[in-house]
Structure formats: C-alpha cells, structure tokens
Amino acid sequence: MNINFYSLGAAEEVTGSKHVLEIDGKSYLIDCGAFQGSRAEADRKNRNFGIAADRIDSAILTHGHFDHCGLFPLLAKQGYKGNIYATPATRDIASLIMMDSANIQARDAEYLRKQAHKKGEKFEWTPLYEEKDAIQATSQMVGVSYNRPMLIGDGIDLEFYDAGHILGSAMAYITVKKDGREVRILASGDLGRKEKPIIRDPDRPPAPDYIILESTYGDRLHENADNAMERLAEIAKRTVAAKGKILIPAFAIERTQELVYYFHMLVDEGIIPEIPIYVDSPMATNATTIFQIHPECYSEEIKDAFIKHHKNPFGFNSLHFTTSVQESKDLNDMKGPLIIISADGMCEAGRIQHHLIHNIGDPNTTVLCVGYMAQNTLGRRIRNKEGEVKIHGQWFQRRAAVEEINAFSAHADYSEAISWLKSLDCSRLKRIFMVHGEPKAQAAFKQHLASAGFSDVDVVKYGNTYELK
C-alpha cells in the first residue's frame, strides 16, 4: 500500500483549498476551492489546477464555502465525471454558491466588457465557468450523512464528522485498508468552534494516524463572545446617534445568519433599539431557507426553538431581505440609521462593492469586518484602514470608520484548535500536516503545537509530496 499526500492550493496561503491523497496510483481530491486575492492572481491560479481531471478517481467536499467548493464546476467543465461526496446540507449550500459564482462572473464579464469598450480597449477575459457547469457539478454530488461510512474506492472508507464550522461542514475521516494494513487520515476541512449559535460543536472522530489541519488563525486568539456582543451594541448605538450606516461584508452562509441572530438577541433584550437591517444578498436569502430544511445540523438550542416552539431565530420585524437589483440600489439613497449585510465577505465581488462605492467616503458610515480577509483583497485593505482603495477600477477616499470583531469567526483560533486536538485519542497519531494558513500564522501555530506536545508537524508546501507510511 502506497499513500502520498500533496496540496494544489491553500499551501502556505488561505483560500483555494485543493488537496490530493494518492493511494496506489489513484487520486482522491479533498476540496476544490477557488483562490481569492487580486483579480489577476486569482484568475491565473484558478485556471491552473495542477492535475488533469481524468486522473481524479473521486472527490470529497468538506463544506460549502467558495474557497473549498468554488472550482468544482471548472473541474466538471474540464471533464471530471466522478462522484463528489458531501453532506446533504453542504451539497445544497455548494450548489447555491457555485451558481451564484457563475452568475457573478457573467455579470462581471459584461460590466468589464462595457468599461473596456468605453476606453477603446481590447477585452478578452472569459468566465471560469457558466451556470451549466455549476449544474453539472451539483449533479455529481453524492449526499452522505454524518457518521455513515461510505466506500469511495477499493478498501477506502469515508466517514463525515461535524466540523462545527458552518451548516453541513465536515471533517473527512478516511480509512485505507489494504494488504493487512490500516491507515487512518483525518482532513479537518475548516475547523469550527465550541458554543457557536445555530450549529453543533466540532465532533471528536476516532484515533487518526495523520491529520490534515487548517491553520487560518494559528497566531491569534479570538475575542470573548460577550465582549463582542458589547462592541456590536456600542457600534449600533453610535450609528443610531449619527444617523449613519453600518456596512457588514459577510459571507452569505453562516455569518449572515449568525449576525441576524445576534442583532435579534440585542433588540429582544432591549440593549439596542430596532434598526432597519437589510440582508442584501439573494444568496443569503436562499441560504436562510437552506438552514430551515437542515435541522440535523442544529445545536440543541436552535433545534428546540425551531421544532418545539416554532420560533424563527433568523427573523424579526426590523429585518428585510432585498430581492431585486433595484431594491439593492435603493439602499444607497436611504437615510440612516440602517444596517446592510451584504456578500462577498472579502469584498472581492457582489453587491457589497456597490455599497462601498456609495458609502465609503461618508464619515457616518462604519464598515464592520467580522470575518477573515485574505491577503491582497479589498476587504483586507479596508480592514487595514488604508486611506484610499480601488473599487471597479476607480479610487475612493476612505472616510468611513472601520471596526473589526473577530469573535464571530467560524474558524478555531490556536487555543481552540489545540484543545480540540487534545480531546482526540492521539495514541496512533504520527504526523500533522498544516494547510490553509498564511506563513506567519503557521509558524506561530507550529510553535504553539510543539508547546502542547504535538512536535511532528509539517507545514505543507505547494509542490512537495509527503509519504504516509
């Protein structure tokens, strides 16, 4: 039995997760995510897979975020015909994400073509894929519930355990049994956190031999959730006093639903007044519907609210979902106070860019960053409080306030990740392979792991192959 592991994305970087297990010459892909960064770099990386589609025997999707599922339509377009294994909730979310991406690319192509025409420039860029490719990728997804082993190859079992990251997120536990040997590989996907609202805590799978571990926040500790709620309330009160706006770039999946839940709590408890909240993302609206049809993923508190008491934790009187482009445009003419939650979470695409164009120069606006912003993204530049930012090819002065609350992150910080590792049976553990993190975070995380007794750790490098014995 010969097992090798290598990475085609999210090696010493965040976003673009694509990892390969090669077992006796057959390749099994874990995630096929899109890289997010500057437009030119992202386009270059996303068009170059590093592996031919016909070499992949089957694929696994850990969860529905764009940086983990976003290139499955391109893989299907390039001829991949095999199965894509995912939990039922992940299949539904990924379908939404991939279709939305195809639509955004089509709209971007049309917009950029018009801009080039105005300037008399040649325009040759084409979208990575179209709606039909997203539909094809969805048709290849096989729903596998948590804790239900599935044979995905000769002597190869896959079992999903809840990762506690977003709805449907999973750790992929792969058991290879051949020639009288057994090798157990645990791919964490994106590891979540305990006691988050809506979804369950991360599971504790059986003893692994190898762990492929994400490291996004390997150098950071998250804020206390209670303190974060206080800060959220303070920002809301300040906005009401200034009759301003809060712009929240948020991923349509999980973060948007959590923020609605938190604002609901603050209003319910009389801590803040009712402020009109607009979820300006058709995908977020559809995602909220997906949440309602997957109670198998809920924490006991949410399950109790939905099923026993029929209360909707995601909706209240001051909450509005926009449904049309015109409704989205109308938000920019509205007077505050109001809150706009809009995708994309890194500000690289979608309606949030248009809201920033209209409001980033207003000192009564607050841009609230509540999630990870990758290097070279518009979101990172705003989070870094740069005085001038470029949006749609134009420069804008940033006069808006910028706030960051990282307690709402769906990623475990280094302390939470180590606590989870210590909760596992590590009697068989031979090595940890660190992926999905920037070099600074990974260097710090490796030191934290060593201090906790986990010294056999490799920071996975793009192009390197690692043998699993």
Side-chain angles (χ1 to χ4, degrees):
M1 181 166 57
N2 185 23
I3 305 176
N4 291 307
F5 167 71
Y6 60 94
S7 180
L8 296 172
E12 297 186 296
E13 64 189 6
V14 174
T15 81
S17 279
K18 290 186 289 293
H19 311 295
V20 179
L21 280 174
E22 200 170 74
I23 303 170
D24 291 337
K26 291 188 175 180
S27 297
Y28 298 85
L29 182 66
I30 303 172
D31 291 335
C32 191
F35 177 83
Q36 292 167 287
S38 67
R39 184 179 289 272
E41 183 186 18
D43 196 62
R44 175 179 57 80
K45 286 189 173 184
N46 288 333
R47 290 183 191 275
N48 297 298
F49 267 94
I51 185 171
D54 59 6
R55 278 192 54 206
I56 301 168
D57 201 67
S58 62
I60 298 163
L61 174 58
T62 61
H63 65 285
H65 273 154
F66 186 58
D67 62 332
H68 289 258
C69 75
L71 291 187
F72 273 115
L74 182 57
L75 191 67
K77 181 180 178 180
Q78 292 184 351
Y80 176 66
K81 303 295 184 186
N83 290 335
I84 302 166
Y85 298 98
T87 67
T90 290
R91 177 195 58 210
D92 291 347
I93 288 170
S95 174
L96 190 63
I97 293 278
M98 295 185 301
M99 285 292 285
D100 188 67
S101 173
N103 288 329
I104 286 172
Q105 289 179 64
R107 289 198 300 269
D108 282 355
E110 185 61 26
Y111 176 83
L112 293 169
R113 186 177 293 108
K114 288 178 179 177
Q115 293 300 307
H117 180 72
K118 286 179 184 176
K119 296 174 184 177
E121 297 172 351
K122 193 174 181 181
F123 182 75
E124 296 179 335
W125 183 83
T126 57
L128 291 167
Y129 51 81
E130 301 173 14
E131 281 189 4
K132 65 180 182 181
D133 305 307
I135 292 168
Q136 178 58 41
T138 300
S139 75
Q140 291 172 229
M141 290 188 175
V142 177
V144 181
S145 298
Y146 293 120
N147 312 119
R148 302 285 291 178
M150 168 71 74
L151 190 69
I152 64 168
D154 182 21
I156 304 170
D157 275 336
L158 165 69
E159 188 167 356
F160 285 133
Y161 290 85
D162 200 327
H165 175 62
I166 67 167
L167 192 83
S169 62
M171 309 172 204
Y173 190 86
I174 300 159
T175 305
V176 185
K177 297 179 182 178
K178 288 188 179 182
D179 306 326
R181 288 178 58 210
E182 180 176 291
V183 177
R184 304 175 185 177
I185 304 149
L186 176 62
S188 73
D190 281 356
L191 183 64
R193 309 170 63 196
K194 284 185 177 181
E195 298 178 6
K196 284 180 64 62
I198 306 172
I199 60 173
R200 296 186 302 233
D201 291 350
D203 269 338
R204 291 180 293 173
D209 294 305
Y210 298 94
I211 299 176
I212 302 166
L213 182 63
E214 73 121 323
S215 52
T216 309
Y217 286 118
D219 61 345
R220 192 180 300 190
L221 295 174
H222 294 314
E223 295 174 51
N224 177 280
D226 291 338
N227 292 342
M229 290 293 282
E230 289 176 10
R231 288 194 59 211
L232 192 64
E234 286 170 12
I235 294 166
K237 289 175 184 176
R238 190 175 72 214
T239 301
V240 170
K243 296 183 179 179
K245 295 180 183 179
I246 302 175
L247 299 185
I248 309 180
F251 292 113
I253 311 298
E254 202 72 39
R255 192 62 43 80
T256 292
Q257 289 77 24
E258 283 186 5
L259 285 165
V260 167
Y261 178 82
Y262 287 132
F263 280 120
H264 190 174
M265 285 175 59
L266 290 170
V267 170
D268 238 21
E269 293 170 14
I271 297 170
I272 64 171
E274 284 205 8
I275 310 169
I277 299 172
Y278 292 87
V279 175
D280 186 32
S281 166
M283 184 165 60
T285 304
N286 292 331
T288 304
T289 302
I290 291 174
F291 269 66
Q292 293 171 335
I293 63 172
H294 284 288
E296 76 276 10
C297 301
Y298 295 163
S299 65
E300 287 304 314
E301 180 187 5
I302 298 297
K303 192 181 292 183
D304 188 65
F306 262 137
I307 297 172
K308 291 185 181 177
H309 303 296
H310 306 288
K311 292 181 180 177
N312 183 358
F314 309 131
F316 53 108
N317 292 340
S318 55
L319 178 68
H320 310 275
F321 290 89
T322 62
T323 56
S324 69
V325 173
Q326 188 57 51
E327 284 179 324
S328 176
K329 289 179 177 178
D330 289 345
L331 294 179
N332 293 312
D333 296 324
M334 287 186 184
K335 302 297 182 185
L338 61 87
I339 298 167
I340 300 172
I341 305 172
S342 187
D344 165 272
M346 297 191 198
C347 305
E348 281 298 295
R351 294 181 178 180
I352 188 62
Q353 291 194 332
H354 296 279
H355 295 307
L356 288 167
I357 286 170
H358 285 88
N359 295 284
I360 201 165
D362 184 353
N364 290 323
T365 292
T366 296
V367 181
L368 176 57
C369 303
V370 293
Y372 185 81
M373 304 290 195
Q375 285 182 331
N376 301 317
T377 60
L378 174 59
R380 175 71 74 93
R381 288 188 281 274
I382 292 171
R383 196 201 75 180
N384 289 346
K385 300 183 180 179
E386 293 184 11
E388 194 176 29
V389 292
K390 195 175 188 179
I391 310 172
H392 286 184
Q394 294 180 289
W395 289 97
F396 295 88
Q397 292 292 319
R398 181 197 59 79
R399 297 184 183 88
V402 178
E403 299 281 357
E404 181 181 9
I405 302 179
N406 65 36
F408 300 141
S409 173
H411 292 265
D413 63 23
Y414 73 77
S415 177
E416 292 165 333
I418 288 170
S419 293
W420 172 76
L421 283 169
K422 286 184 172 180
S423 75
L424 302 180
D425 177 355
C426 293
S427 58
R428 297 174 59 108
L429 185 61
K430 297 176 182 177
R431 202 148 198 84
I432 293 172
F433 296 104
M434 198 186 295
V435 297
H436 208 278
E438 293 175 1
K440 179 175 172 286
Q442 291 184 317
F445 193 27
K446 190 171 183 178
Q447 289 184 340
H448 292 308
L449 286 170
S451 298
F454 298 96
S455 54
D456 295 321
V457 178
D458 276 317
V459 175
V460 173
K461 297 184 181 298
Y462 185 89
N464 284 13
T465 298
Y466 303 86
E467 187 177 2
L468 279 56
K469 297 181 180 179

